Amino acid sequence: MKMEVLITKEKLEEIVTDLGRRITEDYRDKELVLVGVLKGGFIFLADLARKIDMDVKIDFISVSSYGNSTESSGVVRIIKDIESDVSGKHVLIVEDLIDTGLTLQYLKDLFNTKGCASVKLAAIMDKPDRRKVDLKVDYVGIEIPDEFVVGYGLDYAEKYRNLPEVYIIRET
Ligand code: PRP
Ligand code: MN
Ligand code: MG
């Protein structure tokens, strides 16, 4: 297995700081709930929350889109729902990666049925080449090539989520 750094710690920090600043400006004086998408979104959510300079609430939803396969089946299953009432609240769904877009599309539709004041999407990484649905992601950190990436929340068979940088992983 060969691993090559794609996004350094410093670059990730810069991206998250910038997104945090934009979100703070956009949601000033609004009731914002950050909804982290488990598992991959946990690192980005934790870093982003600390770059948002206002009161926020935090909740998590756990979904499974791939089952045991590495290809998206398009079927999204909720493993654990949020615990708070988000009706009337501004919701920002926080993801590590947008690939086909099926997970975020499903979540956006789901939250739109919960009576939120608004539902927006944030993803630190975007693989635009892989998109299967036309979806507007409001806050995108960085576009990446169609390679298998790990670290900063992203796994390969549940490993490597804790790596502080993002790596491209290739079989050798
Ligand atoms: C990955 C990633 C996103 C989703 C993106 O999650 O963390 O949630 O796939 O793919 P899509 O745009 O094609 O839907 P995964 O299903 O691997 O679960 P995990 O976060 O628990 O690793
Ligand atoms: Mn995920
Ligand atoms: Mg995964």
Side-chain angles (χ1 to χ4, degrees):
M1 204 79 90
K2 197 172 143 264
M3 300 194 22
E4 176 197 322
V5 176
L6 178 67
I7 316 172
T8 63
K9 267 192 277 204
E10 291 73 23
K11 183 68 187 171
L12 287 164
E13 157 106 32
E14 186 188 309
I15 293 166
V16 176
T17 303
D18 179 60
L19 289 174
R21 203 176 288 136
R22 279 176 54 199
I23 290 164
T24 306
E25 279 171 24
D26 294 352
Y27 288 92
R28 194 181 304 287
D29 302 324
K30 292 190 174 132
E31 275 191 276
L32 175 60
V33 183
L34 301 177
V35 176
V37 185
L38 299 173
K39 298 174 192 170
F42 81 115
I43 302 265
F44 177 41
L45 184 289
D47 283 351
L48 182 67
R50 285 175 288 177
K51 297 291 184 188
I52 296 177
D53 188 19
M54 56 181 264
D55 290 336
V56 293
K57 287 184 178 162
I58 291 173
D59 208 331
F60 290 95
I61 192 165
S62 179
V63 296
S64 162
S65 55
Y66 288 7
N68 290 321
S69 139
T70 52
E71 271 300 294
S72 184
S73 56
V75 179
V76 180
R77 204 158 48 90
I78 296 190
I79 312 289
K80 177 210 147 333
D81 206 344
I82 53 165
E83 288 160 23
S84 44
D85 179 7
V86 290
S87 67
K89 307 273 166 49
H90 294 272
V91 166
L92 181 60
I93 301 174
V94 180
E95 260 285 31
D96 50 350
L97 173 69
I98 171 165
D99 187 346
T100 64
L102 290 165
T103 303
L104 278 178
Q105 175 75 264
Y106 173 84
L107 289 173
K108 178 139 202 189
D109 293 345
L110 176 76
F111 278 86
N112 275 332
T113 68
K114 291 180 187 269
C116 308
S118 70
V119 180
K120 287 192 176 180
L121 308 175
I124 186 161
M125 287 168 263
D126 180 12
K127 274 186 193 173
D129 295 347
R130 297 261 310 157
R131 199 76 84 255
K132 284 188 183 160
V133 286
D134 183 27
L135 180 68
K136 175 179 161 241
V137 182
D138 305 276
Y139 301 96
V140 175
I142 184 171
E143 291 192 357
I144 61 170
D146 184 11
E147 301 271 4
F148 203 98
V149 292
V150 297
Y152 205 75
L154 288 158
D155 71 304
Y156 171 65
E158 295 300 327
K159 263 167 52 178
Y160 308 126
R161 293 191 196 274
N162 58 322
L163 296 178
E165 321 213 290
V166 176
Y167 294 82
I168 292 176
I169 188 168
R170 289 196 189 96
E171 306 278 352
T172 44

